[in-house]
């Protein structure tokens, strides 16, 4: 197990022992994947809106924190700002409906087919 420290909520850091969190677990996971060597990352379930609920798995119990639509807007802005540095390191693709516009959009089927063609 390797523990990475937070380098804040904005941008990207080249520090191998840290990630910029973007304020959410998806942003952290994306940066961890790239630091681990991923050159293409398919974002599945990154809708980044409250439109279909807080999470792909449905809302948490009522006693958990509710994420408001304004928070998703803040997170989208952080992804937008970090995207140039992220895209210098990996091809990031949204493969399900997403409010993120900073990454290329495609379908899971198309991206998996392109992997098979490259093999």
């Amino acid at each position: 197990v390797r523990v990475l420290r937070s380098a804040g909520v904005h941008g990207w850091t080249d520090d191998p022992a840290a990630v910029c969190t973007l304020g959410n677990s998806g942003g952290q996971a994306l940066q961890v994947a790239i630091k681990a060597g991923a050159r293409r990352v398919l974002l599945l379930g990154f809708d980044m809106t409250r439109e279909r609920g807080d999470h792909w798995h449905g809302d948490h119990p009522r006693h958990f924190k509710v994420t408001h639509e304004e928070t998703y807007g803040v997170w989208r802005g952080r992804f937008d700002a970090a995207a140039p540095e992220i895209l210098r390191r990996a091809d990031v693709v949204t493969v399900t409906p997403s409010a993120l516009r900073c990454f290329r959009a495609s379908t899971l089927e198309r991206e998996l087919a392109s992997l098979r063609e490259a093999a």
Side-chain angles (χ1 to χ4, degrees):
V1 173
R2 184 166 181 204
V3 176
L4 302 176
R5 65 180 165 70
S6 172
V9 296
H10 299 284
W12 172 271
T13 178
D14 285 325
D15 181 345
V19 295
C20 295
T21 69
L22 305 182
N24 61 80
S25 59
Q28 294 168 47
L30 172 60
Q31 293 198 23
V32 167
I34 294 168
K35 286 179 181 255
R39 292 296 163 249
R40 183 177 352 178
V41 180
L42 306 181
L43 301 180
L44 182 69
F46 271 65
D47 61 345
M48 294 304 289
T49 180
R50 179 115 175 86
E51 191 174 301
R52 290 174 281 281
D54 266 347
H55 302 284
W56 62 269
H57 54 71
D59 289 342
H60 287 297
R62 288 186 4 205
H63 63 279
F64 279 47
K65 177 183 169 192
V66 173
T67 305
H68 300 283
E69 185 57 38
E70 298 81 27
T71 304
Y72 286 100
V74 169
W75 292 343
R76 289 189 302 267
R78 290 177 184 161
F79 272 96
D80 289 344
E85 287 298 316
I86 290 170
L87 291 169
R88 285 183 49 221
R89 292 158 175 84
D91 179 24
V92 180
V93 187
T94 59
V95 296
T96 53
S98 178
L100 289 176
R101 301 290 177 251
C102 54
F103 303 125
R104 181 169 65 86
S106 185
T107 64
L108 182 58
E109 294 78 15
R110 189 176 309 137
E111 294 305 310
L112 293 178
S114 74
L115 290 174
R116 283 191 298 272
E117 291 168 7

